[in-house]
Amino acid sequence: MSPEGVLKTDDQAHAARTLWNLLHAWWQMMPKQERTLANADAAIRQARQDIDFLAVLPAQAAQAVLKTYFQAWKNCWDGRTDAPNFKSRLRTVMSVDIPQGRDLNIVRVHRRWGMINIPKVGRVRFRWTKDLPVGKRAGAQNRITGARLIKDGLGWHIAFRIQTLQAKPDPHQGPDIGIDVGVTVPIALSNGETYEHGAWLTDKEKARLLHLEQRAARRKRHRKPGERTSRRLHRTYDRIAGLRAKAKRRALDWQHKATTTIARTYNAVVVEALTITNMVKSAKGTVEEPGKNVAQKSGLNRSISGEAWGRTVTLLTYRTARYGGALVKVPAPGTSMRCSACGFTTSGSREFQAVFVCKNPDCGWSGNADHNAARNILHLYRTGLALVPAAGRAVVRRAKRVKPATAR
């Protein structure tokens, strides 16, 4: 994308974020009986006439913001997510929605590149990474319905929405598997297999990132209170964001490949129902009751957030369904302290972090702690304990055993 196109797309993303915030303010001010889609649409049209910079956002993209906002409230009422909130400039991912696929006019230039039409931006070249239903491949049941522009530290990217007709997959014939997620071993299976990865950045990239962070801190320290951020500091921030985006892209690529392999191999994938938000809470405490081991807990929180356990479960959820399997959640308490051989539970079984030693004198089994937890997770599923979501919360239900039919 040319520099001029980047500026135009940035303006559209800022206008979309502003429109969301205006909708949120309108929603809070209006009485409940007047919070309708028609009234919100009229308010958007009036805002686009009164505020000049909102006109850079296409009308279809503005309607997409409205539909997304109302869908966010529906998800909140159903208990799936929290209530929508104000979108800040620094913490919000810049994005623009193109809801109509017929406006794209996609043309493949050659093997690696294609051309697309972005409303109020013009023709833009993009890298062709996946097959798209364009030309002879397009049809009523296999077509592009829209796209979404997303910006990160590496620049603008485009994601296409494709409507396709797929046959219902046959039931998966593979075995069941339990999965324990961790920090040292990201994914440990109950059969002893592990999925591990190295550092997301090379040594040179880590040194470069450290140098840039030190430079940013030094330049920020010399800035006077109330003074605007210099262009040099902005460029330093952009380089830091580029390296972090590169690390995130590599992590996401590893997660996609690992979850695809698991979904293709196994039938029922059993995981723990972890409340990750509670696990990564700070240990600072209060002034009256300060916390302990704050620095160690902060490092653990960063490691847990870096592994993105929730995203792994999300990827496994739709991938297992695609290949005919299913993802099942079981209660998390006690899985790491319970012996998978005899069922004896004690808090002193993990004297070493990676080794589990059963304290039962009649058992004495020892093995890898992650594999032991994964075996316990699978055992909970086989005994009939599973978490079934109901009205936004999870409840424990025991599966009924089906008696085999007998001939009369």
Side-chain angles (χ1 to χ4, degrees), residues 97-113:
D97 200 6
I98 307 176
Q100 296 181 357
R102 63 174 181 268
D103 297 336
L104 300 178
N105 297 326
I106 303 174
V107 177
R108 187 164 189 173
V109 179
H110 58 83
R111 183 173 60 89
R112 288 190 175 184
W113 295 96

Side-chain angles (χ1 to χ4, degrees), residues 40-328:
D41 181 51
I44 283 181
R45 295 177 184 273
Q46 186 65 34
R48 287 171 56 83
Q49 294 178 2
D50 297 340
I51 304 175
D52 295 336
F53 71 88
L54 291 181
V56 301
L57 187 68
Q60 296 84 359
Q63 292 296 320
V65 174
L66 174 61
K67 293 180 180 178
T68 304
Y69 184 79
F70 269 73
Q71 185 62 41
W73 275 113
K74 291 181 181 179
N75 295 338
C76 174
W77 295 332
D78 294 339
R80 293 193 295 267
T81 59
D82 295 333
N85 207 339
F86 179 84
K87 288 188 175 183
S88 64
R89 182 184 180 93
L90 299 179
R91 296 181 179 271
T92 304
V93 178
M94 298 180 63
S95 62
V96 180
D97 200 6
I98 307 176
Q100 296 181 357
R102 63 174 181 268
D103 297 336
L104 300 178
N105 297 326
I106 303 174
V107 177
R108 187 164 189 173
V109 179
H110 58 83
R111 183 173 60 89
R112 288 190 175 184
W113 295 96
M115 296 292 293
I116 184 175
N117 181 54
I118 299 178
K120 294 194 175 183
V121 176
R123 298 294 290 176
V124 176
R125 187 179 69 166
F126 69 95
R127 184 178 291 275
W128 199 288
T129 57
K130 291 186 178 181
D131 292 333
L132 299 174
V134 179
K136 296 181 179 180
R137 297 185 178 183
Q141 299 178 349
N142 191 22
R143 60 191 179 91
I144 297 177
T145 60
R148 189 175 184 84
L149 296 169
I150 305 172
K151 187 177 184 180
D152 61 7
L154 299 176
W156 280 100
H157 310 278
I158 186 167
F160 295 97
R161 289 190 297 270
I162 300 177
Q163 177 183 340
T164 180
L165 183 63
Q166 293 183 352
K168 184 178 180 180
D170 297 330
H172 204 293
Q173 302 300 325
D176 303 335
I177 198 70
I179 293 181
D180 178 67
V181 293
V183 176
T184 306
V185 180
I187 298 178
L189 306 186
S190 56
N191 59 2
E193 187 179 358
T194 59
Y195 289 84
E196 303 181 38
H197 59 77
W200 302 128
L201 295 176
T202 62
D203 294 338
K204 291 184 178 180
E205 290 171 340
K206 288 181 180 179
R208 181 62 178 167
L209 178 61
L210 178 61
H211 175 70
L212 291 173
E213 290 175 343
Q214 292 174 347
R215 179 189 297 177
R218 185 169 57 251
R219 289 177 176 173
K220 186 177 180 180
R221 185 170 60 249
H222 290 289
R223 188 179 58 180
K224 298 179 181 179
E227 185 180 0
R228 295 186 61 181
T229 305
S230 64
R231 293 184 179 180
R232 288 185 177 181
L233 185 55
H234 273 302
R235 285 196 295 267
T236 305
Y237 284 153
D238 292 340
R239 293 174 183 175
I240 293 174
L243 286 173
R244 291 177 178 174
K246 185 179 294 186
K248 182 178 179 180
R249 182 178 294 185
R250 291 170 182 172
L252 187 59
D253 177 71
W254 178 85
Q255 282 185 313
H256 276 290
K257 293 178 180 178
T259 53
T260 300
T261 303
I262 294 173
R264 286 177 175 175
T265 308
Y266 303 102
N267 174 22
V269 179
V270 190
V271 298
E272 294 176 295
L274 298 174
T275 308
I276 304 176
T277 54
N278 294 338
M279 298 176 64
V280 297
K281 284 185 177 179
S282 175
K284 290 182 178 180
T286 60
V287 178
E288 295 79 9
E289 297 180 0
K292 298 180 180 180
N293 299 325
V294 178
Q296 293 85 340
K297 184 62 170 62
S298 178
L300 178 61
N301 292 346
R302 286 194 297 269
S303 300
I304 293 175
S305 301
E307 293 299 333
W309 295 342
R311 187 168 60 196
T312 300
V313 174
T314 301
L315 295 176
L316 283 172
T317 301
Y318 76 83
R319 279 204 164 87
T320 51
R322 177 183 299 176
Y323 293 105
L327 184 127
V328 184

